[in-house]
Amino acid sequence: MEETLGRRPRFVADSVAGWRVPGVLWLLPLCAFLLSPPLASLAWTLGRGGGHVVRDAVLAWNVAMSLLWLGALHLVVSRPAWLHLALLPLYLTTAVDLFLALRYQARLTSSYVSIALTDYADAGSFVALHRVEILAILLPLAALLLLALRGLRRVRLPAPPAVRVAAVALVAAGYLGATLHQERTGNMTFGRALLDVLSHDTSSPAGVVSQVSVTLALFAQTDRHTVERQAFSFGARQAAPAADEVVVLVIGESSRPDRWGLGGARRDTTPRLAREPNLAFLPDAVATGSLTSVSVPSMLSLAPVSDWAAVESQRSIVSAFRECGYETAWYSTQEVSHWSGMIHHVAAEAAERRYLDRARDTALVDALRRLLAERPGPRRAFVVLHTRGSHAEYDKRYPPEFRRFATPGATRAEAVRDAFDNSVLYTDWVLAELIGALRARGGPALLVYASDHGENLLDDGAGLLGHGFDNRWDLAAAAFVWWSDAWGAAHRRQVAALRANAGAPVSLAAVPHSLLDAAGIEARGLDRTQSLFSDAFRPRPRVYLSGGAPKVWPGGRLTAAPERQPR
């Protein structure tokens, strides 16, 4: 007989497999599961050196929003059995989110939603590859749901109307407050700020709705070029394909050459790379834009940045390598958001894609090592590694053991540069580890590093911090090329040309031409006068996109600034 307790919650005891369990207690494991992805993120953030969790506003906000969502849902819907039955689709997405968090230290963001919505074959292969692990989550989850729904079937949790309204208002206030904060601090329109907030919403279980919304918005922005990109072909071919060759492009983030020891910085921020004999640093490289959404697609396109419609409508060199039979992979520690523009479409050209959103760049070292270990022996592969590098909040980009530079009694500008230089020191370690992985594998290997753009660090007393200003500080970009002994022995002429061209004024528009030329690939649009590996290389005006319009870099190499350095 159903228990009657008026307006109070009904704590009904039910018999499950001989055990008498108060019905309302079944909410505990259900809510714990729905909260598990952000809690897993919290756990691995703490585990990787964590004293910055309190300052990680995005993570803290997502944990808080997860709690607010669960509280509001249970207050608005008085029948928890009906509520959790309606939440079944979100249980499935939470299971996927938890799998990504436990297996890859990633989250179910628009990065993975875009794969699921655009590449069914890749999504299917991913599920098939991890079917045992996925079933290990889904089967216990199904059993838990069946038991819990049975136990909750007579439970009521009525709440006064005022409490329900307050609960919904708190959820709305969480999103509105974050949006207004982004609007104010990021100098954005309200709509753009809201999209930015939604792109970082990984609350559980409702965050997936935000991620799907962001993905659809991004698709709408780039839909006009989707058909052209799908139909485009380079007609790529190799006259003499190598039997064994691994080519790696590492895309840096916000790293400028004058803060690198290799680039003349007074601090030894690149000690490990400085010991590499097969390395050519490019001291005078300029990006094609001071925003990632411009510079990265351009860095992988044979079309000039001045013809942006062609950059959007043509495929990237990832497809050119793929047309020539190379394995292709794209690993990224950056998330897909409106800031990334069409980068997710470029990444979609790779046969394998993995997003390790908000992880430190060490995750890319592990990803490359796994890829190289999957199949020993000769192979031809082109791998893109998109790093977080020195992007914003520089002190969060590196583990505590890389906090080596600290100016006593630092001013704000000195503290900013200390943190930035520590992030460069960490980048040096990551890149040296990537080189070490290629060297340990043996065989011909080539690694090209190019930062997407530079960064303003309160230089010149102008008070500018960050990028997007299109000045000499955020357009000058760190870049270098490394090659293995085996690759150098097989490409002596190209190495000689590289060493001769490395000191010239270079645009990072040369990167795609150089990579294809180094691999001996012929492709529609390839221009060897832009290849650093060619005797035909000729410096040319360095064009960058500013406010949608092409402009020409006035010239001048960025050198280390005279500033007080700690002993």
Side-chain angles (χ1 to χ4, degrees), residues 256 258-260 265 267 269 390 393-395 398 402-407 410-425 455-465 472-473 560-566:
R256 57 190 235 196
D258 65 314
R259 309 306 303 189
W260 285 47
R267 285 172 164 170
T269 54
S390 301
E393 299 179 300
Y394 316 119
D395 58 339
Y398 52 86
F402 288 88
R403 198 172 293 119
R404 183 178 304 174
F405 303 114
T407 304
T411 63
R412 180 185 176 222
E414 288 170 332
V416 164
R417 292 167 193 155
D418 287 343
F420 187 88
D421 289 347
N422 287 328
S423 72
V424 174
L425 182 68
E455 189 84 339
N456 284 267
L457 300 172
L458 302 174
D459 305 283
D460 296 337
L464 298 180
L465 183 63
R472 62 182 181 135
W473 305 109
E563 59 185 71
R564 180 165 68 93
Q565 300 290 335

Side-chain angles (χ1 to χ4, degrees), residues 264-277:
R266 292 165 177 80
R267 285 172 164 170
D268 190 11
T269 54
T270 53
R272 293 187 64 180
L273 292 177
R275 295 195 293 269
E276 292 291 342

Side-chain angles (χ1 to χ4, degrees), residues 24 55 66 74 92 144 154 169 187 221 229 260 337 359 421:
V24 75
R55 283 185 287 164
S66 298
H74 285 91
L92 291 175
L144 172 63
R154 291 183 293 172
N187 192 27
Q221 291 174 10
R229 289 180 64 82
W260 285 47
S337 70
D421 289 347

Side-chain angles (χ1 to χ4, degrees), residues 32-315:
F33 176 79
L34 293 174
L35 285 171
S36 60
L39 294 180
S41 294
L42 181 63
W44 53 260
T45 299
L46 288 168
R48 68 180 186 222
H52 298 302
V53 173
V54 174
R55 283 185 287 164
D56 191 333
V58 174
L59 177 57
W61 182 81
N62 276 298
V63 172
M65 290 307 299
S66 298
L67 293 170
L68 284 176
W69 265 115
L70 282 179
L73 288 170
H74 285 91
L75 288 170
V76 170
V77 182
S78 61
R79 294 286 298 267
W82 292 0
L83 169 63
H84 286 270
L85 192 62
L87 291 177
L88 280 179
L90 296 187
Y91 271 97
L92 291 175
T93 57
T94 301
V96 175
D97 200 1
L98 180 61
F99 169 76
L100 292 172
L102 296 178
R103 183 69 170 80
Y104 296 119
Q105 295 188 347
R107 294 296 306 279
L108 181 57
T109 61
S110 55
S111 309
Y112 285 100
V113 174
S114 65
I115 294 175
L117 294 180
T118 58
D119 193 338
Y120 305 117
D122 191 56
S125 299
F126 183 87
V127 171
L129 179 64
H130 299 291
R131 59 185 179 277
V132 174
E133 296 159 287
I134 293 173
L135 287 174
I137 293 177
L138 289 181
L139 292 179
L141 173 61
L144 172 63
L145 277 170
L146 288 173
L147 291 173
L149 289 175
R150 184 178 186 276
L152 288 168
R153 69 187 187 279
R154 291 183 293 172
V155 173
R156 308 287 190 279
L157 296 174
V163 173
R164 296 182 184 185
V165 172
V168 173
L170 280 175
V171 173
Y175 286 101
L176 180 61
T179 301
L180 293 175
H181 173 78
Q182 290 300 91
E183 181 184 28
R184 183 178 66 257
T185 60
N187 192 27
M188 311 176 195
T189 63
F190 182 84
R192 192 170 177 85
L194 177 60
L195 189 62
D196 185 62
V197 169
L198 294 179
S199 71
H200 291 90
D201 179 15
T202 55
S203 61
S204 185
V208 68
V209 178
S210 297
Q211 297 305 318
V212 170
S213 301
V214 170
T215 304
L216 295 177
L218 291 171
F219 285 172
Q221 291 174 10
T222 56
D223 184 61
R224 66 188 186 279
H225 293 299
T226 299
V227 175
E228 291 109 317
R229 289 180 64 82
Q230 289 175 344
F232 183 84
S233 172
F234 285 102
R237 64 193 185 280
Q238 285 176 295
D244 183 23
E245 183 175 62
V246 177
V247 180
V248 177
L249 170 62
V250 183
I251 302 173
E253 173 65 62
S254 306
S255 199
R256 57 190 235 196
D258 65 314
R259 309 306 303 189
W260 285 47
L262 287 172
R266 292 165 177 80
R267 285 172 164 170
D268 190 11
T269 54
T270 53
R272 293 187 64 180
L273 292 177
R275 295 195 293 269
E276 292 291 342
N278 298 346
L279 188 146
F281 187 74
L282 310 180
D284 191 8
V286 172
T288 55
S290 63
L291 294 174
T292 303
S293 58
V294 171
S295 59
V296 172
S298 173
M299 197 188 298
L300 287 149
S301 175
L302 295 182
V305 71
S306 55
D307 187 358
W308 188 249
V311 174
E312 289 187 307
S313 60
Q314 296 179 11
R315 287 182 177 264

